[in-house]
Amino acid sequence: MGEQQVRLVLLAGGQGRRMWPLSHSKRAKQLLPLLPGPSGEKESLLSRLWRQLDQVGLQQDTFITISHNQAETLRNQLSISLNVIQEPETKGSYPAVALAASYLYSVASIPLHETVAVLPADLYVEEEDWFETLKELPEQLRRHQLNRAVTSDESGIIVFRLESVISALTEEGLPIQYEQLFRRYEELYSRLEDRMIGLLEESPTFRMPEQPFSRINSWNALAAAFPENASIYNDSAAPVIMMGLSNITVAVSSAGILIADQAACIPDEQARNISKEQPPLVPGYEAGRWGNAVVISSLSREDGQQAITRKLEVVDGGFLSYAFYLKRKIVWTVLSGVGELIRNEKRSMIKTGEVVELLPGDRHTVMARSGLTLLEAHIGTDLTEDDRIVLGNHGEEVHTAI
């Protein structure tokens, strides 16, 4: 078989409830730029993990599973398009492991005898040496004649020979081709979960190095890991000032305001209820290679009419996704800068002071020729994400779609 190399899978999906109001369905906790980065900038947990894996030579063999509606945020942060395993929806860790295994087998053509280690993307480890131990896992499984194992600590790592999961799916009569499993994911969720629980729950355990690590999956976990970190996290357009208080976390976005003792966390039931009450458009703050956007107002009338306003900053050379909406009208007011508007494959220039009205069905994007600031109003009776059809996200996709 030759020398084996461990393949890593980072479970980066999530429903965006744990770190409300900053996290949401398109930006789960591991995508929030909350940690101090190497050059003083803020970085996300996933960005930090990706950087650390590069430092120990594991990045090229790492795959990331993520919900399809968070994939663009992931690509913007990490500037990668390969090795991304999309989930049709977030349905839990065990079904995600099965989906990832089908991708490794049928798309990435990873040999069945190779070793896969699945790590949670909210894992925070101070020293990169900790990850060096992952390289030893294939030999550990071979030496102990094991097909799978889990960590004995709280790091949440699952290790298995790819063949063990693929065989389990086959025995259950489940698809092992990624595209088939992707299409039937919701239908097969319960069977996938039951089969993976039966396979992995009673696995032997192994130990990682005795180095400190954290699972940063809540505001109180973040405060415990970084007691000296900023206690105000603001995704809104308004300034927030806190005076005369300590050991308090304040998180602000258009979805709401959280003020909590740093030792407290949002109960799961309350988080579920809050997420159901979020505004219909993606709340709060978004950022990518194109620039950033922040929701500044949201209103609903008794007749069902809704309006949501965002401020968009598009960097020089940046462009928005080429997309159209089925039911809503979009109004752009150019606050500053110059951009090239593409609407239904026709090009025109827009500049400061001009107003653009985009009707339902209008295919559109804008490319900034200089720093472009837009006030964007969404108007309609169905302002859900399902109303948006994306034709192209990346430069190549946009130019092909146009």
Side-chain angles (χ1 to χ4, degrees):
M1 293 184 184
E3 185 177 352
Q4 292 188 40
Q5 193 165 352
V6 67
R7 313 289 178 156
L8 303 184
V9 174
L10 302 182
L11 292 184
Q15 298 175 341
R17 296 170 177 167
R18 291 283 187 166
M19 299 186 80
W20 180 91
L22 267 59
S23 62
H24 49 76
S25 62
K26 289 189 72 173
R27 193 175 62 155
K29 59 185 181 297
Q30 54 269 10
L31 293 169
L32 296 174
L34 302 175
L35 306 183
S39 302
E41 78 289 1
K42 294 294 185 181
E43 67 176 350
S44 68
L45 272 166
L46 193 53
S47 294
R48 176 185 169 82
L49 266 177
W50 190 247
R51 176 169 54 79
Q52 289 178 309
L53 291 172
D54 184 41
Q55 291 170 352
V56 296
L58 286 170
Q59 192 182 91
Q60 70 275 9
D61 291 310
T62 298
F63 298 78
I64 301 175
T65 67
I66 197 161
S67 175
H68 73 97
N69 61 355
Q70 298 176 29
E72 183 59 21
T73 303
L74 166 69
R75 292 188 180 104
N76 286 334
Q77 283 195 9
L78 304 186
S79 299
I80 61 169
S81 56
L82 300 176
N83 291 14
V84 176
I85 306 171
Q86 292 195 40
E87 300 175 75
E89 56 184 306
T90 300
K91 296 291 263 182
S93 297
Y94 285 126
V97 170
L99 189 68
S102 73
Y103 183 96
L104 296 178
Y105 168 70
S106 65
V107 179
S109 300
I110 303 301
L112 287 171
H113 67 267
E114 292 209 2
T115 301
V116 179
V118 180
L119 286 70
D122 59 15
L123 191 63
Y124 178 87
V125 180
E126 187 66 38
E127 300 295 335
E128 284 76 18
D129 289 348
W130 190 90
F131 294 99
E132 292 284 354
T133 305
L134 299 173
K135 298 178 182 179
E136 303 169 7
L137 292 176
E139 175 59 22
Q140 287 192 32
L141 290 188
R142 187 198 64 77
R143 186 187 314 128
H144 297 289
Q145 298 182 334
L146 298 175
N147 285 322
R148 55 193 177 275
V150 297
T151 47
S152 56
D153 53 29
E154 298 297 319
S155 59
I157 299 176
I158 300 170
V159 183
F160 56 87
R161 294 199 189 281
L162 182 57
E163 183 180 21
S164 66
V165 173
I166 296 300
S167 295
L169 296 179
T170 301
E171 292 167 4
E172 189 68 21
L174 292 162
I176 58 175
Q177 298 295 319
Y178 169 73
E179 291 185 3
Q180 295 178 22
L181 195 55
F182 183 94
R183 288 196 301 268
R184 300 179 60 191
Y185 198 57
E186 183 175 4
E187 168 199 346
L188 298 174
Y189 161 68
S190 295
R191 288 175 63 194
L192 282 170
E193 185 174 52
D194 290 345
R195 190 66 185 94
M196 289 299 99
I197 288 175
L199 180 69
L200 300 172
E201 285 284 285
E202 302 301 324
S203 296
T205 61
F206 69 97
R207 298 184 64 173
M208 291 295 289
E210 297 292 336
Q211 293 182 9
F213 68 88
S214 304
R215 295 284 301 277
I216 301 183
N217 52 17
S218 62
W219 289 114
N220 62 310
L222 177 66
F226 295 93
E228 74 288 350
N229 210 14
S231 55
I232 297 179
Y233 303 91
N234 185 10
D235 268 0
S236 76
V240 176
I241 299 174
M242 184 169 66
M243 300 175 62
L245 300 173
S246 60
N247 301 320
I248 299 293
T249 295
V250 178
V252 182
S253 82
S254 65
I257 301 173
L258 172 71
I259 303 172
D261 185 283
Q262 288 186 340
C265 64
I266 303 174
D268 286 345
E269 183 62 32
Q270 185 177 359
R272 283 193 290 270
N273 292 336
I274 288 173
S275 67
K276 294 175 183 177
E277 300 169 3
Q278 288 182 346
L281 189 70
V282 173
Y285 181 82
E286 292 183 70
R289 286 172 287 181
W290 55 270
N292 62 77
V294 62
V295 175
I296 58 177
S297 70
S298 174
L299 63 87
S300 299
R301 298 192 329 200
E302 292 183 359
D303 62 2
Q305 194 72 16
Q306 300 172 320
I308 295 176
T309 304
R310 304 199 306 172
K311 182 180 178 183
L312 277 65
E313 304 275 359
V314 187
V315 300
D316 291 357
F319 53 84
L320 304 182
S321 296
Y322 190 54
F324 66 90
Y325 291 93
L326 298 171
K327 300 177 182 179
R328 77 186 69 177
K329 179 170 72 173
I330 302 291
V331 178
W332 283 342
T333 302
V334 184
L335 301 181
S336 65
V338 177
E340 181 179 6
L341 169 69
I342 301 176
R343 175 167 45 186
N344 298 325
E345 291 76 59
K346 295 182 179 179
R347 299 171 182 263
S348 61
M349 302 303 293
I350 57 175
K351 59 183 184 298
T352 303
E354 294 186 351
V355 176
V356 177
E357 185 175 293
L358 301 165
L359 300 177
D362 280 352
R363 301 177 298 280
H364 63 273
T365 185
V366 66
M367 301 182 184
R369 298 305 185 191
S370 65
L372 188 65
T373 302
L374 301 173
L375 193 64
E376 179 184 75
H378 296 245
I379 303 167
T381 57
D382 185 15
L383 303 188
T384 62
E385 276 297 299
D386 292 340
D387 184 42
R388 184 174 185 242
I389 307 298
V390 176
L391 303 173
N393 275 317
H394 312 294
E396 305 79 17
E397 292 179 358
V398 171
H399 290 305
T400 300
I402 293 171

